[in-house]
Amino acid sequence: MTTLTRQDLNFGQVVADILCEFLEVAIHLILYVREVYPSGIFQKRKKYNVPVQMSCHPELNQYIQDTLHCMKPLIEKNDAEKVVVVIMDKEHRPVERFVFEISQPTLLSIRCVFKDSAWVCSDTLLSHVEQLLRAFILKISVCDAVLNNNPPGCSFSVLVHTREVATRSMEKVQVIKDFPWIVADEQEVHMTEPRLIPLKTMTSDIVKMQLYVEERAQKT
């Protein structure tokens, strides 16, 4: 077992790639399961060796991809603390918040070998992480069993909670032209006495993640 920093392995980029790929699948699945959009715009695909539902609506897909593309540098630098999918009613009031809490260790105690002037890690590490993410997808796919029905006409947004130093730099840099980060409305960030439903937790050598749902007590 070798203890290395995240910089030694450039693991920030590896983790960002893994999490952004996972979050794309998770967001699509949340929108399908919680019926934010009609089921007819989704197609069944396979990811993490399990069936998932992915949107085939170009504008929706582009919004999700652009959001994750802008988020990726924050995850890579370990500046993203939470990613939140907020489902809102017609009055733009949150009815559900799917919260992904993310943390990455500064030091990595993992099995690696030094090869060709660089540290190389076993594929079994990434395979293990993929198995853990599969469990998240399976949990999301059945989460409607523990949540109340949402009112018709809902919409959604994606929020990212960052460290303060990252917030200052985000205001100066636009990763995608005409797709800037903006400060979230207070009502999207906080719900009054929500019901808290834990869904899944994972712990690995490269990333820890927890998923829970905040649900508004009265949705109608």
Side-chain angles (χ1 to χ4, degrees):
M1 195 76 76
T2 306
T3 300
L4 303 167
T5 66
R6 295 171 74 251
Q7 289 75 19
D8 289 330
L9 297 165
N10 197 21
F11 249 73
Q13 184 176 340
V14 174
V15 171
D17 287 341
I18 292 170
L19 286 183
C20 284
E21 183 179 20
F22 161 75
L23 286 169
E24 182 175 13
V25 176
I27 292 170
H28 281 260
L29 191 55
I30 289 169
L31 298 180
Y32 172 79
V33 171
R34 301 310 293 147
E35 299 181 349
V36 178
Y37 293 98
S39 60
I41 75 163
F42 293 88
Q43 291 181 337
K44 184 179 285 188
R45 306 211 183 139
K46 184 171 276 193
K47 187 65 182 174
Y48 306 114
N49 209 29
V50 294
V52 297
Q53 295 285 343
M54 301 290 287
S55 159
C56 51
H57 191 286
E59 292 181 6
L60 173 59
N61 294 358
Q62 192 63 54
Y63 168 76
I64 295 172
Q65 289 170 8
D66 287 349
T67 300
L68 293 171
H69 186 69
C70 292
M71 194 185 299
K72 193 172 183 178
L74 296 171
I75 298 176
E76 188 171 333
K77 295 176 182 176
N78 200 15
D79 285 334
E81 296 179 328
K82 297 178 186 177
V83 177
V84 186
V85 180
V86 185
I87 299 177
M88 297 164 287
D89 61 18
K90 289 180 179 179
E91 286 73 41
H92 212 66
R93 297 174 304 175
V95 291
E96 292 172 355
R97 286 166 38 90
F98 284 75
V99 183
F100 297 84
E101 286 190 352
I102 302 166
S103 64
Q104 301 177 48
T106 304
L107 295 176
L108 304 165
S109 296
I110 52 183
R111 296 187 181 280
C112 301
V113 295
F114 198 73
K115 181 179 180 181
D116 298 329
S117 302
W119 288 101
V120 179
C121 295
S122 169
D123 289 341
T124 56
L125 173 65
L126 300 183
S127 177
H128 174 61
V129 172
E130 185 172 296
Q131 290 177 9
L132 296 174
L133 295 178
R134 180 187 304 134
F136 274 75
I137 294 299
L138 291 171
K139 201 69 175 179
I140 293 171
S141 68
V142 297
C143 70
D144 56 337
V146 294
L147 296 171
N148 296 318
N149 292 336
N150 286 328
C154 285
S155 59
F156 86 104
S157 64
V158 180
L159 312 181
V160 59
H161 293 241
T162 66
R163 305 180 197 284
E164 187 176 349
V165 64
T167 304
R168 291 196 295 267
S169 64
M170 286 166 64
E171 295 171 353
K172 302 175 184 177
V173 179
Q174 267 187 244
V175 178
I176 298 178
K177 186 180 179 183
D178 299 326
F179 198 87
W181 286 111
I182 58 174
V183 178
D185 292 338
E186 186 65 21
Q187 69 172 9
E188 292 184 50
V189 178
H190 299 291
M191 295 174 67
T192 304
E193 298 183 358
R195 189 167 73 104
L196 190 66
I197 303 103
L199 288 186
K200 196 65 184 173
T201 301
M202 67 170 272
T203 301
S204 72
D205 291 324
I206 61 172
V207 64
K208 295 181 181 180
M209 185 165 61
Q210 177 178 212
L211 170 61
Y212 58 89
V213 181
E214 295 175 350
E215 182 180 38
R216 197 169 80 199
Q218 297 294 329
K219 291 184 172 180
T220 56

